[in-house]
Amino acid sequence: MSEHKAKLLNNPYGQFAYENFRASRKAFADKSSVIEDLEDGNMTPFPVLLRPRRFGKSTFVHMLKCYYDVSYKDRFEAIFANTAIYKTRIAKPPRSEENEEIEWHSNYHVLAFDFSGISGKDSDTLVDSFIVAVNTGIIDFMARYPDFVFNPSETEKKTPSGFIKSFINAYKLYPGKKNLYLMIDEYDNFANNLLSEDLELFKAITGTGGFIKDFYAAIKEGTGTCIAKTFITGVSSVSLDSLASGFNITLNVTSFACFNEYAGFTEAELAELIPQLVDTDKIGISSDEIIARMKPVYDGYCFSPEAESTVYNSSMCLYYLNTMRRIGRYLPPEKYLDPASDHDGSKLQQLFNISDKRLCDEITEIYLNNELFFLDKLAENINLNKDSQYNRTQLLSMMYYLGYLTIAREASDDSAIALKIPNLYMSRLFAQCVANLRFNQSAFTDPALDITALVKNNDDISSFTDSCTEFLSGILTNQVLTHMTEMALNLTLYTKLNSTGVIAEMQKSLRITGEGEKYADLVITVNKGKANECIYLIELKYTAKNDAKESRIRSLAKEASNQVLEYSTAMEFRNKLVKSYAMVFAGPECVYCQQQNG
């Protein structure tokens, strides 16, 4: 008898051509219901929707293109059958007061631009690259409409504004013209990259007289004649001022509750996708358990204070599920992160580089105290042509747009928006950036931590704790100790341990039966892959030296002991040699270290 083999769909990781998903048997989350919100009578016809990288924006744009463009009319049924928008608008079309069917689909000509590939080291090469992107979109349009005649002059093709004006003028004379829908995907990608590399060049192209404003001014002019709607996506609002200056009828709808889930995966969508992408019977773990393990790593993003749910980073999820399917066994999500997001940590560092040091200190202090970030409102247009550095609102807003922070619904109200770190992945990026900001890396060279007792699997690790005290006493000045927190202590030791050759994990996600997700302060694995492989599970507590009364030490020790004993029962530690310790620091000194046996 042949072994059972699940009939799975293909994983769409890294692909966004929506029109091919059905034909190539790719699984996808149905986002078509969002079209209802775009077509609401009170919605702007010129929306701008921002989301972090790798969230599925391009797939959504392709879906809109397939839905609205008349060239897809013959394939409409094959592409959209059984989707939410098909069921509500096609199978059971709503009626207007005049009892006539309202038809949105296959009723536009769509001109689509993808600006994600624009690059250049100076103004001339940037203009040339921008023109190439515009030309690519126009060629795609002409391929779908061979009877459309467009012969721009060489002069018109020399500037982006001249090129798009020439297209609009040709379209107005097009015998088959309809309403024109313009879509621009990743409007700011090249500007964001430029911002971190050459601030002066960024200002030159986005400021007054820059080619970007002229380009969008030409689009605005076209809305008076043939452009009925636009749809613009991007990552941040750092270039939105430039766009809005030329095209000031757009509206940033990023934080509208109806669009909270337009990109990324909801938990319900994941529950449908996982059985389509992974043979859970073969792997021996249910979809619900996979989601529970993915949640603290990839979930937590909220883009509106009024939103009812959070979303997962879709690219992270697809990469992880694809890897687990290929290897054929359960894998811990925190170990399999989308490599396309590797640079995210450097982007965070670049944000801090364009901010005042005192502001950076404030942000890191809030993080180390595990507190929320509050601001009056998000900055919808950030203009660095006027300011050489981010102010507080701009910096926090940029961190929100890029996905490092997200809206904390439970703490936001009419007086202020609360932001928090969305998940474990972003928390780790934050931790590394804070370590780089707070500590001179040369200070981590000497003295070395004594890990001899750990490598020998000893129960007595006093030599290790003594070396921690020596190390911390050398790098933690009185000024630093004044602002020291448990999180900062954890981060400091974690950063130091990473230079010793052991495998150190900070705030490791653990699954405790009956308790859900917990986070261990430090997990140190020694002798990895050897017969004497051992895991040291450590729960840290911190108190300032002047508060280190005996009763305080006992209380912290008891708390740490209870926590580490609970953590030692985690699924991740089954059938492994684990040694659990409660440690208490008073200032830089380790004043308590005791092994805990369950």
Side-chain angles (χ1 to χ4, degrees), residues 30 105-106 152 163 169 176 194 198 218 245 251 260 271 292 369 452 457 533:
D30 181 12
H105 76 89
S106 309
F163 208 166
N169 288 332
L194 194 61
D198 191 335
S245 296
L251 181 65
N260 182 63
N369 282 287
T452 305
N457 291 5
E533 178 179 321

Side-chain angles (χ1 to χ4, degrees), residues 105 298 523:
H105 76 89
Y298 308 141
V523 177

Side-chain angles (χ1 to χ4, degrees), residues 234-453:
V235 173
S236 77
S237 63
V238 74
S239 304
L240 205 53
D241 183 76
S242 178
L243 180 156
S245 296
F247 191 14
N248 58 8
I249 54 176
T250 59
L251 181 65
N252 183 355
V253 299
T254 298
S255 60
F256 284 25
C258 60
F259 297 124
N260 182 63
E261 301 160 20
Y262 103 91
F265 294 150
T266 65
E267 207 156 289
E269 289 167 343
L270 270 180
E272 290 188 14
L273 284 170
I274 289 175
Q276 298 176 33
L277 295 172
V278 177
D279 189 342
T280 54
D281 290 337
K282 177 183 176 182
I283 292 175
I285 183 171
S286 69
S287 293
D288 287 345
E289 183 62 23
I290 292 174
I291 291 172
R293 299 308 310 276
M294 294 170 69
K295 187 175 183 63
V297 187
Y298 308 141
D299 187 26
Y301 296 96
C302 177
F303 299 100
S304 171
E306 295 81 32
E308 296 181 357
S309 62
T310 57
V311 293
Y312 292 65
N313 180 305
S314 52
S315 185
M316 285 280 190
C317 293
L318 292 175
Y319 176 81
Y320 167 68
L321 294 172
N322 199 39
T323 306
M324 188 158 61
R325 172 176 173 168
R326 176 173 53 82
I327 294 177
R329 58 183 173 83
Y330 170 74
L331 302 171
E334 64 271 18
K335 295 290 187 181
Y336 293 88
L337 301 173
D338 181 6
S341 299
D342 276 353
H343 75 286
D344 285 353
S346 63
K347 290 289 185 183
L348 179 57
Q349 183 70 55
Q350 289 161 4
L351 290 180
F352 285 124
N353 290 342
I354 313 176
S355 306
D356 183 80
K357 183 181 183 302
R358 288 171 296 181
L359 176 56
C360 297
D361 288 341
E362 177 197 340
I363 300 298
T364 56
E365 194 68 28
I366 292 172
Y367 162 73
L368 292 172
N369 282 287
N370 198 28
E371 297 172 342
L372 297 174
F373 304 82
F374 287 93
L375 69 166
D376 291 339
K377 63 177 183 177
L378 293 163
E380 295 191 359
N381 294 336
I382 297 175
N383 188 345
L384 284 181
N385 286 284
K386 297 178 180 177
D387 306 301
S388 59
Q389 292 182 318
Y390 292 120
N391 60 35
R392 188 179 187 279
T393 297
Q394 291 171 337
L395 177 58
L396 289 174
S397 297
M398 283 295 290
M399 292 167 71
Y400 155 79
Y401 287 123
L402 295 176
Y404 299 112
L405 296 176
T406 197
I407 293 174
R409 295 170 297 165
E410 66 283 357
S412 298
D413 56 33
D414 292 339
S415 65
I417 290 179
L419 300 177
K420 64 181 179 181
I421 298 173
N423 50 45
L424 187 61
Y425 171 65
M426 282 303 175
S427 182
R428 288 179 175 175
L429 289 180
F430 228 106
Q432 189 57 57
C433 186
V434 170
N436 294 336
L437 288 169
R438 279 285 175 115
F439 307 117
N440 184 338
Q441 294 305 300
S442 62
F444 282 81
T445 304
D446 293 312
L449 293 184
D450 186 350
I451 61 171
T452 305

Side-chain angles (χ1 to χ4, degrees), residues 529-545:
K530 300 178 182 178
N532 62 339
E533 178 179 321
C534 182
I535 296 172
Y536 283 85
L537 173 63
I538 299 174
E539 183 65 18
L540 298 170
K541 297 298 175 185
Y542 175 81
T543 183
K545 197 137 189 171

Side-chain angles (χ1 to χ4, degrees), residues 38-155:
L38 288 172
E39 291 295 339
D40 185 284
N42 292 315
M43 182 58 60
T44 173
F46 311 112
V48 177
L49 258 171
L50 309 176
R51 283 297 182 270
R53 290 184 68 255
R54 311 291 293 177
F55 254 77
K57 298 187 295 293
S58 296
T59 300
F60 187 84
V61 172
H62 265 248
M63 180 192 73
L64 294 183
K65 178 181 176 183
C66 295
Y67 185 83
Y68 285 111
D69 194 273
V70 69
S71 68
Y72 289 92
K73 188 171 185 176
D74 293 342
R75 291 181 286 165
F76 184 84
E77 293 273 344
I79 296 173
F80 285 96
N82 296 319
T83 61
I85 194 66
Y86 186 91
K87 293 174 183 177
T88 58
R89 303 296 309 190
I90 313 302
K92 297 179 180 179
R95 302 284 173 173
S96 68
E97 293 181 359
E98 292 77 19
N99 204 35
E100 295 179 356
E101 181 179 339
I102 302 171
E103 188 173 276
W104 299 336
H105 76 89
S106 309
N107 202 34
Y108 288 82
H109 286 148
V110 176
L111 175 62
F113 295 138
D114 178 1
F115 289 166
S116 63
I118 296 174
S119 62
K121 295 297 183 182
D122 55 49
S123 183
D124 289 340
T125 55
L126 274 171
V127 169
D128 290 344
S129 184
F130 199 100
I131 289 172
V132 168
V134 172
N135 189 48
T136 299
I138 292 174
I139 289 173
D140 170 66
F141 183 91
M142 296 176 70
R144 283 179 282 122
Y145 299 100
D147 59 332
F148 174 65
V149 178
F150 179 49
N151 295 304
S153 68
E154 291 302 314
T155 299

Side-chain angles (χ1 to χ4, degrees), residues 210-253:
F211 69 87
I212 294 179
K213 285 187 177 181
D214 291 342
F215 175 76
Y216 286 109
I219 291 174
K220 180 187 176 184
E221 185 179 331
T223 62
T225 53
C226 59
I227 299 177
K229 295 186 178 184
T230 65
F231 183 78
I232 300 174
T233 75
V235 173
S236 77
S237 63
V238 74
S239 304
L240 205 53
D241 183 76
S242 178
L243 180 156
S245 296
F247 191 14
N248 58 8
I249 54 176
T250 59
L251 181 65
N252 183 355
V253 299

Side-chain angles (χ1 to χ4, degrees), residues 516-528:
E517 211 74 23
K518 301 290 183 179
Y519 301 93
D521 283 342
L522 283 177
V523 177
I524 306 169
T525 303
V526 296
N527 309 316
K528 181 68 176 177

